[in-house]
Each structure stands twice: as C-alpha cells, then as structure tokens.
Amino acid sequence: MKINKNTLGFRLTVLFSTIMVPLLLVLFAAGYYAKSVVLTQVSSSYHNLVNSNLQMIEKSLEDITTNLVDIVDHDDNFQKFARPGLTDSEYYFARLGLIQRSQSYQAYYHTVDMFYLFSRPNNSLTVSNVLGNSEAYMDDVKGWITSSILDPKSDEKLLYKWTIIQIHGDYYLNRIVSDGLSNKAYIGALIKIDSLKSPLNSLKLQGGGNVLLVGNNGTVLTSPTEFLGPEFRLPAEKMNRNSSFSFTNGKRKLFVIASHSPELGISMAVVLPDSELLQGLNYFQALANILPLFAFIVLLLYLYVFRRTVIRPILNLLYAIHRIRDGSMETKLPDSNLIEFKSLNHAFNSMVNEIQHLKIDVYEERLNAQNAELKHLQTQINPHFFLNTLNIIYQLADLNRNELVKKTVRHLVQYFRFMLQVKENPITLGQELDHLLNYLEIQKMRYQDFFEFDIDISEELKEASIPSLIVQPFVENAMIHGISMRNEKFRLRLSAKYAEDQTDTMCIEITDNGKGTTDEKLAELNSSDYAPGSEDRHIGIWNVKKRVTMNYGAEGRICFSHNEPSGLRVQLFLPVQHIKERDYDSDADCR
C-alpha cells in the first residue's frame, strides 16, 4: 500500500518518531555504556587480583627452585647420596639428612605437596610424607616419578623447568634438579595445582563463579565447581595473554578475567556468570529494551485517540465533500463532541442545504429553458420543405395523379400533426420512426429515382422509450447536406438494434452515401463541449446532444464518423428503457 506523505496523520507520526527515536537511542547507548564501564572496572579489579597472586606463585616457585639448586650444589648429604658403594649406614644418614631438610622446606613452603629423592646408583626413591592420600595413590605417584626419571626422554623434559604433569587424574607442577654432570642423583618437588589457588579460596564469587588455573590449551588444571562441570574448558586462543572476555558455555554466558604466566605456561582465570555480575545493569538493560515497545504502544494509543478525535472527523468531512461533488446531495455530517468540529459540521450541513436548494432552482431553470427550446424546435416548420411539398402536390394534380396526391397530402398531414402534437414526454422508438417514414416518403416523391431509403428496426426495440424528435434532426441534416443530384443515387439507411455485447443499450444508426463532411467538422461534432454559432445549421444537433445528456447522463452518447466509401454515419447509443419504467423513475424523482 502506497503511503501518502502529505497526510496529517503521517506528518504527526513522523514528528512523534523524530522525538522518540533519538531519546530511545540515548537510552540504549547509556545502558551499553554503563555495562561497558562496569565490565571494565570489574575486569581491572580482578586483573589486579589474579596478577598479584600469579606473581606470588611465580616467586614461591622461584624460591623453591633456588633451595633445590642449593641442596644439589652445596649439601654434602646430596653428594654422598649420589655416590655408589656407600655403606648402609652412610646411605641411611645421607638420606635421613636430606629428608629432614626437605621436610623443613615443606613446612615452610605450604604449597609443596611432596619432596622426593632418587639415587640412580642405588635405584632408590625417597619421598617426604604426603598427608591425606591413600597408599594406592602414593604408589601411583612413586611409580610415575621412577618411570619418568629412568626414561631418558622424560628426564630431559622434566629437568631445568617447572612442568605440568598429570597423575591419577590430578594435575601437578613438577620440578626436578640434578647435579648436572652425571645425573646420578635427583631431587624434586611436586605441587598439586589445586593448592596454588588456596589463597583465593576465601574470595566470595557470585552465582557459582570460580578461580581456575588453566593450561595453554584451555584445559582446566584445577577442580571446577559443580556450576561449571567437569568438562568445562576455556578457549585456547585467549589463554596465552592477559585478557578479559565474554564466553558462552552451552546456554550460560560467562565473563572471564585471565592472567598468563609465560614461565609456567599456565593462566589464572576468574570465571563469573554474566547474569550475576551485571544483575543490576541487566534490569536496566531490560528496561531499556522494553522501553521502545512501551513507546510504540503509547504511540499507537496516541495515534488511535488522535485519529478518533481529529483525523476521523476530517476524513468524514473530506468523504462528504467527495459525495457532494459526485451528486449525493443528501449527505450530512453527524454531530461531534468537540465544539470546533460541531460548529464545522453544522456549517457544512447548512451549506449543503443551500447548495441543494440552489441546484434545484438552477435545474428547474434549465428544464424550463430546455422545454422552450424543444417547443421551438417542435413548432418550427421548414418553409422550403413545406413549399416543395406543395409544389409536388400541384404537379401531381396537374398530371391527374390523384392517388399520389392523396398519398402525399396524407403523409404531409401526419408529419405536421406529429410535429404540433408531440410533447416533451418520451415516446416509443416505433412512433419516432413512423413519423420519419412520413418525412422520407414525401422526400421520395420529390426526388423520385435519385433517392431511396431503408428502415430496419429490431422488433424488441419498437417499444423502447426515447425522447421525442431525437432522431429527426440527423435525418433532416442528411437530406439537406448530403444529397447531390449530380452524383449517384442518394441512399439513406436508418437502423436500430442492440449494441454489441450489451443487452441494456441500443444503437440507432443513420448512414448515407452523400457528400459527407471534413475531419475537422467531425472532431468538432464529437467534442463534448460542441456549441455552434447562432447561424450554424447544426443547431438541431446541438439541441439533441444537450437533451441526451440531460436524460441519460454518461450512459447516452452520440458518435459521428465517415461512412465508407462516402457519406456520414451517425450512431446514438441510448439505454434501453420503456415508457412505464421511465414514468416510474420520474415519479420517484419527484418524491
């Protein structure tokens, strides 16, 4: 549907939208800006927290490494522990001294879960006590240490740096130090990664949030909460740098603040539910999202009320004006509750009444003028026709053609009786053609062998109603302007039949083979505003066109065209009506 931009309703809608849309955009922008500020503040706060804890872990691991290296380089017991051929007592006291020193370190470094010693010459493993673990678990740990040290490939990977290992489903940081020459003795430390986040266990996180230590591949190295689940992972591409990002896990939206340690190859991450983190802002954001819908509903309500109170009365007024223009003078506007429209409607109804009375007066004047013109046309007698007819009668009497004299006089009497007695009331098509037959018979007497005519009328149309003398002017014009004694025989044909594909319209056609007329004259005759001058011989045609318009409106029309091979063709298209039908309609109009 095409929208008319010049309507009052459209412009009011545009005006309202011009005010509301920028306001809604500001609310949207404010909501997202507030959310961004909060996320930035939260990210900065937690970044400081995880960075400081990650630095503390790195410092602690560095101290542990320093002590391990110090034992390897300066402890006599470690040097004895690596020598082959020790007596049992020497091996025992060397191992005992290392265990006591390791236990003292373990008491100081609470994060270390186990110190262990391995002597390659003696193929023996010694571990410090690990509290809270079963004997089977300890056997798994010892088995992993022994197999890793004895495996040359694993040995090379585990020396010189802290590495992440997995034993019995748990992740550990492992550091092994050797003498660096013959690698006959090893000392190492195992730290369960879960214990590295113990300083943050007292941190209260909302809605199932958690502090995680994560590998470079996104694997969670600590035990996640039930909220995250055992299969929870973080995107690997974001774990090798300090970052904060939103992350969707299933149907949950999470906010992650991560800090990375390149030396350890791990990241510490704080994972928070987005819904809990921005709970207050989410309410504000939801309000900002609902507000456009609310504004839209208000706009619709506003437009509905405005349409009922202002637009609809204006549309009713425009509709009434169009109906008045189309001729429905009975159109009235109802009363309105608004004083302005009430006064406007009352003034409009008064104006319509005045126009109606004025139109009736003008219509009556036009009827009177038409009646006068009709009477003038009916009573006018062509003196040439009358004198020529008398001359024909005289010649026939001189020749003692008494029967022809009687016939001519009878046609003349019937012709003038019809002309003098016909009223403005409609007659049948048959009566009109009988009258024209008298006229044509007289013309036949005058021109003898130079003229012939033919009348063809459908039987169904003989009782059709037409205005009186509506065909005669065209027949008279054909005889006056078309006949020529110098050319071939003049032929005139008059027919009446139903129009093609129309059962409610008849076509009355007058054709001749006379002189015809020019294209310019045809265009003038076919023009809707045809108005001949006072001396124009086609005054009768103008009169007929006016009467057709008055009686039938747009349903009646007259067409002028050339007749082939010569002459003129006149077609009258009139609705098929009958006398009773027209009388009934006339009475209805009077009522």
Side-chain angles (χ1 to χ4, degrees):
M1 182 180 65
K2 186 177 181 180
I3 299 176
N4 190 345
K5 298 182 180 180
N6 293 324
T7 61
L8 180 62
F10 177 82
R11 297 197 176 185
L12 289 174
T13 303
V14 171
L15 178 61
F16 187 85
S17 301
T18 304
I19 299 173
M20 290 298 299
V21 170
L23 178 61
L24 296 178
L25 291 177
V26 169
L27 290 175
F28 274 123
Y32 283 109
Y33 176 74
K35 182 177 180 179
S36 175
V37 169
V38 170
L39 290 178
T40 301
Q41 294 295 331
V42 171
S43 175
S44 176
S45 175
Y46 279 109
H47 261 304
N48 294 334
L49 179 64
V50 296
N51 278 333
S52 61
N53 278 272
L54 200 57
Q55 290 173 4
M56 290 175 59
I57 292 173
E58 291 176 345
K59 183 66 172 61
S60 177
L61 295 178
E62 184 180 353
D63 291 344
I64 294 172
T65 301
T66 301
N67 288 321
L68 293 176
V69 172
D70 183 68
I71 291 174
V72 171
D73 292 340
H74 302 102
D75 195 305
D76 293 335
N77 288 324
F78 185 81
Q79 301 298 327
K80 292 179 182 179
F81 189 72
R83 295 173 189 168
L86 291 176
T87 63
D88 292 340
S89 61
E90 289 176 336
Y91 177 75
Y92 173 77
F93 284 110
R95 184 174 67 85
L96 182 62
L98 290 173
I99 290 298
Q100 288 176 345
R101 185 172 180 178
S102 298
Q103 287 179 340
S104 64
Y105 283 154
Q106 187 174 359
Y108 179 76
Y109 297 109
H110 298 288
T111 55
V112 178
D113 292 279
M114 176 191 291
F115 284 101
Y116 57 88
L117 300 167
F118 185 82
S119 174
R120 189 181 290 273
N122 298 294
N123 195 24
S124 64
L125 175 67
T126 302
V127 300
S128 63
N129 294 328
V130 179
L131 301 178
N133 290 315
S134 64
E135 185 175 349
Y137 189 88
M138 286 298 300
D139 290 339
D140 290 339
V141 174
K142 291 177 181 179
W144 180 88
I145 295 173
T146 302
S147 62
S148 297
I149 292 176
L150 293 179
D151 185 0
K153 295 182 179 180
S154 299
D155 189 10
E156 293 178 2
K157 294 179 181 179
L158 296 175
L159 285 171
Y160 312 119
K161 66 177 181 178
W162 290 92
T163 55
I164 300 172
I165 63 173
Q166 187 177 16
I167 304 175
H168 204 72
D170 294 326
Y171 290 96
Y172 290 85
L173 280 175
N174 178 68
R175 183 72 166 91
I176 299 178
V177 181
S178 179
D179 54 12
L181 299 174
S182 58
N183 290 338
K184 294 179 179 179
Y186 300 86
I187 184 170
L190 276 178
I191 301 175
K192 195 171 185 179
I193 294 182
D194 263 335
S195 64
L196 294 178
K197 68 172 188 175
S198 57
L200 298 177
N201 287 338
S202 60
L203 185 64
K204 294 183 179 179
L205 301 177
Q206 299 175 337
N210 200 357
V211 178
L212 305 176
L213 288 169
V214 186
N216 286 337
N217 61 353
T219 303
V220 178
L221 306 177
T222 56
S223 301
T225 61
E226 294 182 1
F227 173 74
L228 299 178
E231 303 298 327
F232 180 76
R233 293 176 64 90
L234 287 173
E237 65 274 8
K238 295 184 180 293
M239 290 296 102
N240 57 358
R241 63 182 185 273
N242 296 338
S243 62
S244 57
F245 57 91
S246 294
F247 173 64
T248 302
N249 178 248
K251 295 182 179 180
R252 297 171 301 182
K253 190 174 183 180
L254 306 173
F255 186 68
V256 181
I257 305 101
S259 183
H260 181 65
S261 172
E263 295 181 2
L264 301 178
I266 62 175
S267 298
M268 178 174 283
V270 177
V271 181
L272 301 171
D274 190 87
S275 59
E276 296 292 334
L277 176 65
L278 300 172
Q279 184 174 7
L281 279 180
N282 285 337
Y283 292 147
F284 178 79
Q285 192 68 39
L287 178 61
N289 291 334
I290 295 174
L291 190 58
L293 178 61
F294 175 75
F296 181 71
I297 294 174
V298 171
L299 175 61
L300 289 181
L301 182 61
Y302 162 77
L303 291 177
Y304 174 75
V305 174
F306 189 82
R307 179 179 176 82
R308 285 184 59 89
T309 56
V310 178
I311 302 298
R312 181 178 292 179
I314 294 176
L315 292 177
N316 289 338
L317 178 60
L318 292 176
Y319 176 71
I321 292 173
H322 289 310
R323 284 181 57 86
I324 294 298
R325 185 184 61 186
D326 294 337
S328 299
M329 302 304 297
E330 71 282 358
T331 302
K332 302 293 181 183
L333 288 177
D335 288 337
S336 174
N337 296 327
L338 298 178
I339 296 177
E340 293 81 1
F341 283 109
K342 185 175 182 179
S343 301
L344 182 62
N345 293 352
H346 178 72
F348 178 83
N349 292 336
S350 300
M351 181 187 67
V352 170
N353 289 331
E354 293 178 3
I355 293 175
Q356 191 171 10
H357 291 306
L358 180 62
K359 186 175 181 180
I360 291 174
D361 293 340
V362 172
Y363 183 73
E364 289 178 350
E365 290 180 3
R366 291 179 60 188
L367 283 179
N368 293 332
Q370 288 293 326
N371 290 333
E373 292 175 1
L374 177 60
K375 290 178 180 179
H376 174 70
L377 182 66
Q378 293 171 349
T379 56
Q380 67 182 355
I381 299 175
N382 191 323
H384 296 286
F385 171 71
F386 181 65
L387 292 175
N388 289 333
T389 304
L390 290 180
N391 187 42
I392 292 171
I393 295 173
Y394 174 80
Q395 291 177 3
L396 291 174
D398 188 51
L399 296 173
N400 294 321
R401 303 289 298 274
N402 296 330
E403 292 299 326
L404 292 180
V405 171
K406 293 178 182 180
K407 181 180 178 181
T408 304
V409 171
R410 183 172 63 252
H411 286 307
L412 184 63
V413 170
Q414 291 175 352
Y415 174 82
F416 283 114
R417 179 182 292 117
F418 183 88
M419 291 290 292
L420 296 174
Q421 292 180 353
V422 71
K423 304 293 184 181
E424 66 274 11
N425 292 331
I427 61 174
T428 65
L429 179 59
Q431 291 173 329
E432 178 85 355
L433 296 183
D434 288 340
H435 166 65
L436 290 174
L437 180 60
N438 293 319
Y439 174 80
L440 293 174
E441 288 288 354
I442 294 173
Q443 295 291 3
K444 177 67 174 174
M445 292 288 184
R446 177 182 178 186
Y447 294 106
Q448 299 294 323
D449 296 334
F450 292 97
F451 169 64
E452 65 180 26
F453 67 90
D454 178 38
I455 297 178
D456 181 18
I457 178 173
S458 175
E459 290 293 331
E460 297 88 347
L461 296 178
K462 284 186 177 181
E463 298 301 322
S465 171
I466 63 171
S468 59
L469 298 177
I470 205 166
V471 183
Q472 177 182 331
F474 301 107
V475 176
E476 289 185 353
N477 280 333
M479 293 300 304
I480 295 171
H481 305 296
I483 194 167
S484 175
M485 302 296 291
R486 299 177 183 178
N487 299 327
E488 62 179 327
K489 181 183 294 186
F490 181 70
R491 293 181 177 86
L492 185 142
R493 188 173 188 275
L494 176 61
S495 65
K497 59 183 178 179
Y498 285 101
E500 293 183 3
D501 300 328
Q502 299 184 45
T503 58
D504 58 348
T505 303
M506 62 180 171
C507 174
I508 303 173
E509 185 176 85
I510 304 99
T511 60
D512 64 71
N513 64 341
K515 293 181 292 185
T517 188
T518 62
D519 293 335
E520 292 77 7
K521 191 62 179 181
L522 279 181
E524 182 182 353
L525 292 173
N526 283 316
S527 175
S528 58
D529 55 351
Y530 170 65
S534 58
E535 298 180 357
D536 198 313
R537 291 175 295 178
H538 295 98
I539 190 71
I541 296 177
W542 171 77
N543 184 282
V544 171
K545 293 185 72 170
K546 291 185 62 178
R547 291 168 62 204
V548 167
T549 302
M550 181 172 293
N551 281 275
Y552 301 107
E555 295 182 357
R557 54 195 176 93
I558 304 174
C559 299
F560 297 86
S561 62
H562 292 294
N563 188 34
E564 296 300 334
S566 63
L568 186 68
R569 180 191 306 272
V570 182
Q571 292 175 307
L572 284 81
F573 293 93
L574 306 176
V576 178
Q577 298 177 341
H578 296 84
I579 298 293
K580 292 183 178 180
E581 180 182 344
R582 290 174 60 90
D583 289 345
Y584 175 78
D585 293 340
S586 178
D587 294 342
D589 292 340
C590 292
R591 288 194 297 270

Coordinates of all heavy atoms in Angstrom, one line a residue, residues 67-68 70-82 86 90-106 115-119 126-128 185-188:
N67 N 66.2 -23.2 46.4 CA 66.6 -24.1 47.5 C 66.9 -25.5 47.0 O 67.9 -26.1 47.5 CB 65.4 -24.3 48.5 CG 65.2 -23.0 49.3 OD1 66.2 -22.4 49.7 ND2 64.0 -22.6 49.5
L68 N 66.2 -26.0 45.9 CA 66.6 -27.3 45.4 C 68.0 -27.2 44.7 O 68.8 -28.2 44.9 CB 65.6 -27.7 44.3 CG 64.1 -28.0 44.8 CD1 63.2 -28.3 43.6 CD2 64.1 -29.2 45.8
D70 N 70.4 -25.2 45.6 CA 71.3 -25.1 46.7 C 71.6 -26.4 47.3 O 72.8 -26.7 47.7 CB 70.7 -24.1 47.8 CG 71.7 -23.9 48.9 OD1 72.8 -23.2 48.7 OD2 71.4 -24.3 50.0
I71 N 70.6 -27.3 47.5 CA 70.8 -28.6 48.0 C 71.7 -29.4 47.1 O 72.7 -30.1 47.5 CB 69.5 -29.3 48.2 CG1 68.7 -28.7 49.3 CG2 69.7 -30.8 48.5 CD1 67.3 -29.2 49.5
V72 N 71.5 -29.3 45.8 CA 72.3 -30.1 44.8 C 73.7 -29.6 44.8 O 74.7 -30.4 44.8 CB 71.7 -30.0 43.4 CG1 72.6 -30.6 42.4 CG2 70.3 -30.7 43.4
D73 N 73.9 -28.3 44.9 CA 75.3 -27.7 44.8 C 76.1 -27.8 46.1 O 77.3 -27.9 46.0 CB 75.2 -26.3 44.3 CG 74.7 -26.3 42.8 OD1 74.8 -27.3 42.1 OD2 74.2 -25.2 42.4
H74 N 75.5 -27.7 47.2 CA 76.2 -27.4 48.5 C 75.9 -28.4 49.6 O 76.6 -28.4 50.6 CB 75.9 -26.0 49.0 CG 76.2 -24.9 48.0 ND1 75.3 -24.3 47.2 CD2 77.4 -24.4 47.6 CE1 75.8 -23.4 46.5 NE2 77.2 -23.4 46.7
D75 N 75.0 -29.2 49.5 CA 74.6 -30.1 50.6 C 75.5 -31.4 50.4 O 75.5 -32.1 49.4 CB 73.2 -30.5 50.5 CG 72.7 -31.1 51.8 OD1 73.3 -32.1 52.3 OD2 71.7 -30.6 52.4
D76 N 76.3 -31.7 51.5 CA 77.2 -32.9 51.5 C 76.4 -34.2 51.4 O 76.8 -35.1 50.8 CB 78.1 -32.9 52.7 CG 79.1 -31.7 52.7 OD1 79.4 -31.2 51.6 OD2 79.5 -31.3 53.8
N77 N 75.3 -34.2 52.1 CA 74.4 -35.4 52.1 C 74.0 -35.7 50.7 O 73.9 -36.9 50.3 CB 73.2 -35.2 53.0 CG 73.6 -35.2 54.5 OD1 74.5 -35.9 54.9 ND2 72.9 -34.4 55.3
F78 N 73.7 -34.7 49.8 CA 73.2 -35.0 48.5 C 74.4 -35.5 47.7 O 74.2 -36.4 46.8 CB 72.7 -33.7 47.8 CG 72.2 -33.9 46.4 CD1 70.9 -34.4 46.2 CD2 73.0 -33.7 45.3 CE1 70.4 -34.6 45.0 CE2 72.5 -33.9 44.0 CZ 71.2 -34.4 43.9
Q79 N 75.7 -35.0 47.9 CA 76.8 -35.5 47.2 C 77.1 -37.0 47.6 O 77.4 -37.8 46.7 CB 78.1 -34.7 47.6 CG 77.9 -33.2 47.2 CD 77.8 -32.9 45.8 OE1 78.3 -33.7 44.9 NE2 77.0 -31.9 45.4
K80 N 76.9 -37.3 48.9 CA 77.1 -38.7 49.3 C 76.0 -39.6 48.7 O 76.2 -40.7 48.3 CB 77.0 -38.8 50.8 CG 78.2 -38.2 51.5 CD 78.1 -38.3 53.0 CE 79.3 -37.7 53.8 NZ 79.1 -37.8 55.2
F81 N 74.8 -39.0 48.6 CA 73.6 -39.8 48.2 C 73.8 -40.2 46.7 O 73.2 -41.3 46.3 CB 72.3 -38.9 48.3 CG 71.0 -39.6 48.0 CD1 70.6 -40.5 49.0 CD2 70.3 -39.4 46.9 CE1 69.4 -41.2 48.7 CE2 69.1 -40.0 46.6 CZ 68.6 -40.9 47.6
A82 N 74.6 -39.4 46.0 CA 74.8 -39.8 44.5 C 75.9 -40.7 44.3 O 76.2 -41.1 43.2 CB 75.0 -38.5 43.8
L86 N 78.3 -46.8 48.8 CA 78.1 -46.3 50.2 C 77.7 -47.5 51.0 O 77.0 -48.4 50.6 CB 77.1 -45.2 50.3 CG 77.4 -43.9 49.7 CD1 76.2 -43.0 49.8 CD2 78.6 -43.3 50.3
E90 N 76.1 -45.1 55.9 CA 76.4 -43.9 55.2 C 75.2 -43.5 54.3 O 74.8 -42.3 54.3 CB 77.6 -44.0 54.3 CG 78.9 -44.1 55.1 CD 80.1 -44.4 54.2 OE1 79.9 -44.9 53.1 OE2 81.2 -44.0 54.6
Y91 N 74.6 -44.4 53.6 CA 73.5 -44.1 52.8 C 72.3 -43.7 53.6 O 71.6 -42.8 53.3 CB 73.1 -45.4 51.9 CG 71.9 -45.2 51.0 CD1 71.9 -44.4 49.9 CD2 70.7 -45.7 51.4 CE1 70.8 -44.2 49.1 CE2 69.5 -45.6 50.7 CZ 69.6 -44.8 49.5 OH 68.5 -44.6 48.8
Y92 N 72.1 -44.4 54.7 CA 71.0 -44.1 55.6 C 71.1 -42.7 56.2 O 70.1 -41.9 56.1 CB 70.9 -45.1 56.7 CG 69.9 -44.8 57.8 CD1 68.5 -45.0 57.6 CD2 70.2 -44.2 59.0 CE1 67.5 -44.7 58.5 CE2 69.3 -43.9 60.0 CZ 67.9 -44.1 59.7 OH 67.0 -43.8 60.7
F93 N 72.3 -42.3 56.7 CA 72.4 -41.0 57.3 C 72.3 -39.8 56.2 O 71.8 -38.8 56.5 CB 73.7 -40.9 58.1 CG 73.6 -41.6 59.4 CD1 74.3 -42.8 59.6 CD2 72.8 -41.1 60.5 CE1 74.2 -43.5 60.8 CE2 72.8 -41.8 61.7 CZ 73.4 -43.0 61.9
A94 N 72.9 -40.1 55.1 CA 72.8 -39.1 54.0 C 71.3 -38.9 53.6 O 70.9 -37.8 53.4 CB 73.6 -39.5 52.8
R95 N 70.6 -40.0 53.4 CA 69.2 -39.9 53.0 C 68.4 -39.2 54.1 O 67.5 -38.4 53.8 CB 68.6 -41.3 52.7 CG 67.2 -41.3 52.2 CD 66.8 -42.7 51.8 NE 66.8 -43.6 52.9 CZ 65.7 -43.8 53.7 NH1 64.6 -43.1 53.5 NH2 65.8 -44.7 54.7
L96 N 68.7 -39.6 55.4 CA 67.9 -39.0 56.5 C 68.1 -37.5 56.6 O 67.2 -36.7 56.8 CB 68.4 -39.7 57.8 CG 67.7 -39.2 59.1 CD1 66.2 -39.5 59.0 CD2 68.3 -39.9 60.3
G97 N 69.4 -37.1 56.3 CA 69.7 -35.6 56.4 C 68.9 -34.9 55.3 O 68.4 -33.8 55.5
L98 N 68.8 -35.5 54.1 CA 68.1 -34.8 53.0 C 66.6 -34.8 53.3 O 65.9 -33.8 53.0 CB 68.4 -35.6 51.7 CG 69.8 -35.4 51.1 CD1 70.0 -36.3 49.9 CD2 70.1 -34.0 50.7
I99 N 66.1 -35.9 53.9 CA 64.7 -35.9 54.2 C 64.3 -34.9 55.2 O 63.3 -34.1 55.1 CB 64.3 -37.3 54.7 CG1 64.3 -38.3 53.5 CG2 62.8 -37.3 55.3 CD1 63.4 -38.0 52.4
Q100 N 65.2 -34.7 56.3 CA 64.9 -33.7 57.3 C 64.9 -32.3 56.7 O 64.1 -31.5 57.1 CB 65.9 -33.9 58.4 CG 65.7 -35.1 59.3 CD 66.8 -35.3 60.3 OE1 67.9 -34.6 60.3 NE2 66.5 -36.2 61.3
R101 N 65.9 -32.1 55.9 CA 65.9 -30.7 55.3 C 64.7 -30.5 54.3 O 64.2 -29.4 54.3 CB 67.2 -30.6 54.5 CG 67.4 -29.2 53.9 CD 68.8 -29.0 53.3 NE 69.0 -27.7 52.8 CZ 70.1 -27.2 52.2 NH1 71.2 -28.0 52.1 NH2 70.1 -26.0 51.8
S102 N 64.3 -31.5 53.6 CA 63.2 -31.4 52.7 C 61.9 -31.1 53.5 O 61.0 -30.3 53.1 CB 63.0 -32.6 51.9 OG 64.1 -32.8 51.0
Q103 N 61.8 -31.8 54.7 CA 60.6 -31.7 55.5 C 60.5 -30.3 56.1 O 59.4 -29.7 56.2 CB 60.5 -32.7 56.6 CG 60.2 -34.1 56.0 CD 60.2 -35.2 57.1 OE1 60.8 -35.0 58.2 NE2 59.5 -36.3 56.8
S104 N 61.7 -29.8 56.4 CA 61.7 -28.4 57.0 C 61.3 -27.4 55.9 O 60.6 -26.4 56.1 CB 63.1 -28.0 57.5 OG 64.1 -28.1 56.5
Y105 N 61.8 -27.6 54.6 CA 61.3 -26.8 53.5 C 59.8 -26.9 53.2 O 59.1 -26.0 53.0 CB 62.1 -27.1 52.2 CG 63.5 -26.6 52.2 CD1 64.5 -27.2 51.4 CD2 63.8 -25.4 52.9 CE1 65.8 -26.7 51.4 CE2 65.1 -24.9 52.8 CZ 66.1 -25.6 52.1 OH 67.4 -25.1 52.0
Q106 N 59.3 -28.2 53.4 CA 57.9 -28.4 53.1 C 57.0 -27.7 54.1 O 56.0 -27.2 53.8 CB 57.6 -29.9 53.1 CG 56.2 -30.3 52.7 CD 56.1 -31.8 52.5 OE1 57.0 -32.6 52.8 NE2 54.9 -32.2 52.2
F115 N 58.4 -33.5 48.5 CA 59.7 -33.5 48.0 C 60.2 -35.0 47.9 O 59.8 -35.9 48.7 CB 60.7 -32.9 49.0 CG 60.6 -31.3 49.0 CD1 59.8 -30.7 50.0 CD2 61.2 -30.6 48.1 CE1 59.7 -29.3 50.0 CE2 61.1 -29.2 48.1 CZ 60.4 -28.6 49.0
Y116 N 60.9 -35.3 46.8 CA 61.4 -36.6 46.6 C 62.8 -36.6 46.2 O 63.4 -35.7 45.6 CB 60.5 -37.4 45.6 CG 60.4 -36.7 44.2 CD1 61.4 -37.0 43.2 CD2 59.4 -35.8 43.9 CE1 61.3 -36.4 42.0 CE2 59.4 -35.2 42.7 CZ 60.3 -35.5 41.7 OH 60.3 -35.0 40.5
L117 N 63.5 -37.8 46.6 CA 64.9 -38.0 46.2 C 65.0 -39.3 45.5 O 64.4 -40.3 45.8 CB 65.8 -38.1 47.5 CG 65.8 -36.8 48.4 CD1 66.4 -37.2 49.7 CD2 66.6 -35.7 47.7
F118 N 65.9 -39.3 44.4 CA 66.1 -40.6 43.7 C 67.6 -40.7 43.5 O 68.3 -39.8 43.0 CB 65.4 -40.5 42.4 CG 65.5 -41.8 41.6 CD1 64.6 -42.9 41.9 CD2 66.4 -42.0 40.6 CE1 64.7 -44.0 41.2 CE2 66.5 -43.2 39.9 CZ 65.7 -44.2 40.2
S119 N 68.1 -41.9 43.8 CA 69.5 -42.2 43.6 C 69.6 -43.3 42.5 O 69.1 -44.4 42.7 CB 70.1 -42.8 44.9 OG 71.5 -43.2 44.7
T126 N 63.1 -41.9 47.6 CA 62.7 -41.5 48.9 C 61.8 -40.3 48.8 O 62.1 -39.3 48.1 CB 63.9 -41.1 49.8 OG1 64.8 -42.2 49.8 CG2 63.5 -40.7 51.2
V127 N 60.6 -40.3 49.5 CA 59.6 -39.2 49.4 C 59.3 -38.7 50.8 O 59.4 -39.4 51.8 CB 58.4 -39.7 48.7 CG1 58.7 -40.1 47.3 CG2 57.7 -40.7 49.5
S128 N 59.0 -37.4 50.9 CA 58.5 -36.9 52.1 C 57.1 -37.3 52.4 O 56.4 -37.8 51.5 CB 58.6 -35.3 52.1 OG 57.8 -34.8 51.1
A185 N 72.0 -38.5 40.9 CA 71.0 -38.3 41.9 C 70.1 -37.1 41.5 O 70.5 -36.2 40.8 CB 71.7 -37.9 43.3
Y186 N 68.8 -37.2 42.0 CA 67.8 -36.2 41.7 C 67.1 -35.8 42.9 O 66.9 -36.6 43.8 CB 66.8 -36.8 40.7 CG 67.4 -37.2 39.4 CD1 67.9 -38.5 39.2 CD2 67.4 -36.4 38.2 CE1 68.5 -38.9 38.0 CE2 67.9 -36.8 37.1 CZ 68.5 -38.1 36.9 OH 69.0 -38.5 35.8
I187 N 66.7 -34.5 43.0 CA 65.8 -34.1 44.0 C 64.7 -33.3 43.3 O 64.9 -32.5 42.3 CB 66.5 -33.2 45.0 CG1 65.5 -32.8 46.2 CG2 67.1 -31.9 44.4 CD1 66.2 -32.1 47.3
G188 N 63.5 -33.5 43.7 CA 62.3 -32.8 43.0 C 61.2 -32.4 44.0 O 61.2 -32.8 45.1

